[in-house]
Amino acid sequence: MFYYLLTPIFTYNFILILAAIVPAVFLMFKVYKSDRLEKESPHMLWTLVKAGILSSLLALVEEKILSVILDSLLDANTLAYNIILYFVIVAGAEESSKLIFLKRNTWRSDEFNCRYDGVVYATLVSLGFALWENISYVLTYGIATAVVRAVTAIPGHACFGVFMGVFYGIAKKYDKSGNKAASKFFRLL
């Protein structure tokens, strides 16, 4: 009898989790297939997705700490507060945490042997981040949130990953040629 009581709850949560995961996994597959030069190993791909998940947890901690500081400096009902919160704190925490885990897991890898690898790596880290973030939002707010995030936040994180990856791949090219200053500049971009 207990089983019959839990089945609808389990089924609904399973559908929500599936709705949260499918868009990110679909885009991961598309990015993987777009690498026509040399496919990355499954181990590297899984490492990058896990790195994205961990980066979301780091970003959450960064956002909480910096939000407390911002709360002590500005009134939450001001335009300045919202601009700083969303465009500096949230964006900075999310993208910097992705970069930290991206660099930690790929920079010295023998698999990182062409510029396009940077795009694949950064996009997978970003989509790992988006996947975990999406699960939490969808479980909290429901199926309508899954639909909206499937066409906004998930592709947004993928696009941010592509841009990060382009500069990251260029940075690696300069690093291999010995131009450390240019490499650092493109990693910063």
Side-chain angles (χ1 to χ4, degrees):
M1 175 153 163
F2 187 66
Y3 170 79
Y4 293 110
L5 294 174
L6 288 179
T7 301
I9 295 169
F10 174 77
T11 303
Y12 182 69
N13 283 340
F14 178 75
I15 291 169
L16 286 177
I17 291 171
L18 198 60
I21 291 173
V22 167
V25 172
F26 173 77
L27 289 175
M28 287 177 196
F29 181 74
K30 295 297 274 181
V31 169
Y32 175 74
K33 295 296 279 180
S34 71
D35 188 357
R36 299 190 197 293
L37 298 174
E38 179 184 347
K39 300 286 187 210
E40 305 310 311
S41 72
H43 177 265
M44 175 61 85
L45 300 176
W46 178 237
T47 298
L48 294 170
V49 172
K50 290 187 299 187
I53 291 168
L54 291 173
S55 73
S56 70
L57 301 174
L58 175 61
L60 180 65
V61 170
E62 289 178 44
E63 290 170 21
K64 292 294 182 192
I65 292 169
L66 294 172
S67 293
V68 167
I69 294 169
L70 181 62
D71 288 341
S72 70
L73 299 174
L74 290 173
D75 180 26
N77 296 323
T78 63
L79 179 62
Y81 177 92
N82 286 310
I83 289 172
I84 292 169
L85 177 64
Y86 296 114
F87 292 100
V88 177
I89 293 175
V90 172
E94 289 185 4
E95 300 311 314
S96 67
S97 67
K98 291 176 197 176
L99 182 60
I100 288 167
F101 280 90
L102 172 66
K103 187 168 187 269
R104 182 173 181 258
N105 287 286
T106 62
W107 192 254
R108 291 187 180 87
S109 172
D110 293 334
E111 290 188 49
F112 194 176
N113 54 13
C114 73
R115 283 186 295 173
Y116 194 73
D117 287 347
V119 173
V120 173
Y121 296 163
T123 305
L124 284 173
V125 169
S126 292
L127 286 169
F129 182 103
L131 182 137
W132 189 254
E133 181 183 60
N134 206 36
I135 291 171
S136 67
Y137 276 114
V138 170
L139 286 176
T140 302
Y141 300 110
I143 197 74
T145 300
V147 173
V148 171
R149 289 185 58 83
V151 296
T152 58
I154 303 295
H157 279 289
C159 288
F160 304 149
V162 168
F163 281 106
M164 182 185 292
V166 166
F167 292 119
Y168 190 68
I170 293 169
K172 183 65 172 181
K173 181 188 96 169
Y174 280 118
D175 184 70
K176 283 184 175 180
S177 69
N179 190 342
K180 302 296 181 193
S183 176
K184 192 171 191 173
F185 174 74
F186 280 100
R187 276 195 318 266
L188 182 62
L189 286 178

